[in-house]
Amino acid sequence: MKVTYPIKDITNENVETKLGSNNKYGKYPVGIYNAWHGGIHLEDKEKEIQAIADGRVIAYRLAAEEKEESIDSEIDNEQKYNYSNSFILIQHDYKSPEGLEMTFYSVYHHLLSKTGIEEAGLELPKTLTQTELKVLEKAEKVKGINARSATKYSTKEFVIPKGTTVTFDNTETESTHWSNGKNLKKYKYKKVTYTDLLGTTHTNIYIATADNRINDAGEILTAEDTGKPAEKGAQLKDAPKKTATITSIIKKDTVVTNLEKKGNYTKIKYTQENGIEQEGYIWTKSLEEKENFDESILDQIQASDLKIKAGQPIGYVGKYGVEKSPNYTASHLEIFTTKNINDFLENTKNDGKDKKHFATVPKDTKLKTNLEIAVNIKEKTPLKVLKFEGDYTQIKTQDIIGTVQHEHLTGWNATTKTYKIKEAHFATVNTIFNNQLSKSDLLHYKSQKGQDRTVFLKIDGSNKKYWIPKTDLAQVEIGECNEEEEEVITYENAVVGDTTKTNKAITKAYIEPPTENCDEETGETVQEETVNKEHITNLRKFKKVKDNKKEIWYKAELTYKIDEQEETKKGWLAQKDIELFSAYDWHKFGFQKLEAGSEFVYSLKDIKEEHVNATVPKDQIAPFIKKVWDIIDADGDKKLTPIELELAFEDPEKVETLSKLVCTHKSEWSYQTEKIKTEAEEIYNLAMGTNPSEKLKKQKESRILALENRMKELMFWEEAKDLAYTGEVDTKLPPREFPSTDMVHYFHPIAFIRQMLLMLDNPDIDLSDPDKWISQFSLPKKGKTNMRCYDTCVLVLKKYDVSLPVYSYLQTTNENGTVERANIIQAVIQMVDGSLKNTIHIKKGIDYIDDQLEKGNPIIVGLDKEKRKTYNSDNTTEHFVVITGRKRDNEGLYYRFFEVGTYEVNKKIKGVNPNNKLYLQEDYNLIGKKPMSKTTYTVTQIRKNI
């Protein structure tokens, strides 16, 4: 399932401002004067609204025009304003990785009417129209041989496809005919007759027959020419490829049904003249798309079952004029479920057990300024200088290598490939190893020559990277010759890339270069920071390291507010000091389920006396009343005024708390008008006091009448639930189901989407360093070929310090008969007919790519590029690239890649172009375009890293 925000310009970066705090009206979960409000308002005039998740539209109403409402001018200044009662109800069926199922619904109300859409110059959403696909005369080009006119050589009538058959016309051709021309005779042009797939016979045409272009039976053997076929219509193919078999031709103006789009093709079905239905793929440019709208459905609630995708437009922000704000525009968005949500909130299936990227950092947690570790690096230990920063250098310790005589060694262990040192020769061997040995040390075998053995001593933490003071490095010895050609030894400070030694034993080092953190008041060095407020943090934002005791640390930067003052603490956070959890653990993020009753307006009297209507027990609704009113009711009079709401929603902490209340309440679209009238009268009576004037009484009556009329127009629940849907049902989807009860569990819409995105989405990662890109054409040729894409990808990974394992052959085979290989995830295979088929490993491949990117490692992937080649061992892969990032745009989640198959001059426009994108499909395919080309790339295999 894909999930997105209801308006395109809402992103994870600005979502905090979209929780309702900026709304004029329409906040969650209550509005002014104690009114229940189960959603939020989207207030941008005529802004396009999109489906928040994949699902199906199960009911909707499109208003012909806005409804008019007015307050009687004899009672008050005349107020006239319009509002829309257009709505859409979408069912979304979610299933977690561990199998937890939950159906939730989204409602979009007060959408712009049809008249409003037309007056604003906007397009009707395709959700509300019927798409008709009609076949055009424009046909996809075919490969074969040109059929030329009998009257003129230069006139090419059409192309006869390879594999089809023609009949030779043995009628004598005049010697003056163009086919007998001096320059054309060698092609042996012959007159033929050809019957196309529509049954039309074409006579008096000429084709070249020389050089085995055609056999004696009349079968066309060549594909040298490309052009339009003879048939006027669309070619129906058995696969979405240029080279696929043409099964039939569909005549011009035939209406077909769109099943799905696949690259440059559309899968369709249509009914043939004989009444038999046929399915296949048509070149999309051979189809004309036309949207039709049925005017008879206007102002009527429609039962439907229309499949919809996240991000697909469903309407526009409509008018919702109210007294004192006649031009107010807003659409109402709400999200709810009727299912038992305890398992969902508590994560009883333990989803995300391997994705615990979040943590609650307790108050008083200590953050270390520098991450110091204990090491045991002896004096004169060889090391490589990697980089400098301030007074520190990053080094990598290296094993000590030496060549000793075999007779000085003993105790060969064939399993560990190690020797012991003979005691009698210890001093000699120790000298070779710069006196770094102890008598119990083992020397590891490297190579041999005669009686000499090249061995090495494994240093504690060898090949590990540490930061140490620059002063702990020995100078590098430089040998030069003077004018007398005598060798002179000089010493210089080490530079990056040098191999040098330590000048003393080192017992402590750092994971990162140390920084100085001084107290602003005392000037003293601060060794640790204290977190002054408990809060939740996303650990994926921080660098994660493991010290030499295998304890995990995060280089954290924690920001929170205390008494409206922002405070930031930086330092190393120990994993042992925090509790990790995943985005599936909603309760850990503060989401709390509360019973909120069935009131349209919460009674002032009932709240003051701390009891509610008998429909909900007092002990159930009391926590909701207490929670919400304690947050918003500043003066304690139990009446929520516009000022109090505004002040409460200016406080980010209060907004965050309210947004995480999951409230069980009656749907506001299922109220009976009489109930609303009764509750509204009560609030007016309490507001007017015990002895209201006649004018106030008439004002109340006018407003109650207007409210009654509006509610009649807006309510849809009771009518919609009784409407039977009689159309086609997609049996592959869960059952279409209108909510089973109007007592539903409401989520704050934006908070819900934000949390779902944390569950379903992944954070942006971009490892794309242009300096690490290489062109495959910069490598020497292998024989006569430049097919060095894989070798080039390996070199790119080396620049990232990423190594690759051995890809040995296994005993198992893929479905296309090729042998599986260790450490390669084969995601897609090419079948014998050239079609691509997903393997059972395809999702595993995506998970592996995500895992490596999150660890900071790029990955080599194999690609199919529509050539139907079989030169790699999987008979599928035709090219290799390096995936360097993962991001999201309006098209969905994509993986960025380095294209090595281009020249250095094209580095920016092709090699490292940010538009090199492979989009994640619903079936876990990764599909994109070759840079600046129409060629489709499909990921076929993922090569594992070490």
Side-chain angles (χ1 to χ4, degrees), residues 493-599:
N493 290 332
V495 297
V496 172
D498 279 346
T499 296
T500 183
K501 301 173 184 176
T502 56
N503 59 22
K504 67 177 184 180
I506 298 174
T507 58
K508 69 177 183 180
Y510 300 91
I511 298 291
E512 291 272 308
T515 57
E516 280 199 14
N517 188 5
C518 296
D519 187 285
E520 293 182 0
E521 295 181 2
T522 66
E524 295 179 358
T525 301
V526 177
Q527 300 298 329
E528 60 184 19
E529 295 262 29
T530 301
V531 178
N532 294 315
K533 182 181 180 181
E534 177 181 291
H535 78 296
I536 295 169
T537 190
N538 184 346
L539 298 173
R540 285 187 292 192
K541 296 188 299 182
F542 310 138
K543 183 174 183 177
K544 177 181 175 182
V545 300
K546 191 180 291 186
D547 65 18
N548 56 346
K549 294 180 181 178
K550 297 189 176 180
E551 290 187 3
I552 294 173
W553 297 80
Y554 298 91
K555 193 176 184 181
E557 182 174 333
L558 310 176
T559 301
Y560 46 83
K561 281 190 175 181
I562 297 181
D563 297 329
E564 299 301 315
Q565 295 298 312
E566 193 171 89
E567 184 173 280
T568 298
K569 298 290 183 179
K570 298 179 182 180
W572 289 96
L573 173 65
Q575 183 168 294
K576 61 182 176 60
D577 293 339
I578 54 178
E579 178 193 3
L580 272 61
F581 48 88
S582 78
Y584 295 87
D585 296 304
W586 289 58
H587 64 297
K588 299 281 188 181
F589 285 83
F591 285 88
Q592 176 185 2
K593 180 175 175 288
L594 292 174
E595 296 289 341
S598 61
E599 285 74 12

Side-chain angles (χ1 to χ4, degrees), residues 314-371:
I314 52 95
Y316 305 91
V317 172
K319 295 179 181 179
Y320 196 61
V322 292
E323 185 182 0
K324 298 181 182 178
S325 295
N327 297 317
Y328 179 57
T329 59
S331 287
H332 172 95
L333 170 65
E334 65 183 43
I335 295 174
F336 63 84
T337 181
T338 60
K339 306 300 181 184
N340 184 333
I341 59 169
N342 292 330
D343 287 343
F344 182 73
L345 296 178
E346 300 289 331
N347 190 21
T348 57
K349 289 279 190 179
N350 199 21
D351 280 293
K353 54 182 175 291
D354 55 348
K355 294 185 177 181
K356 294 187 176 182
H357 304 309
F358 300 88
T360 299
V361 181
K363 185 175 181 293
D364 297 327
T365 297
K366 306 296 183 185
L367 303 180
K368 284 190 174 185
T369 302
N370 295 308
L371 189 53

Side-chain angles (χ1 to χ4, degrees), residues 8 146 157 212 239 258 285 351 386 452 528 691 732 850 890 892 916:
K8 285 183 179 178
N146 287 325
E157 300 286 357
N212 294 319
N258 181 3
K285 290 183 179 179
D351 280 293
L386 301 179
D452 290 339
E528 60 184 19
N691 190 24
K732 296 177 184 177
D850 287 336
N890 288 336
N916 293 353

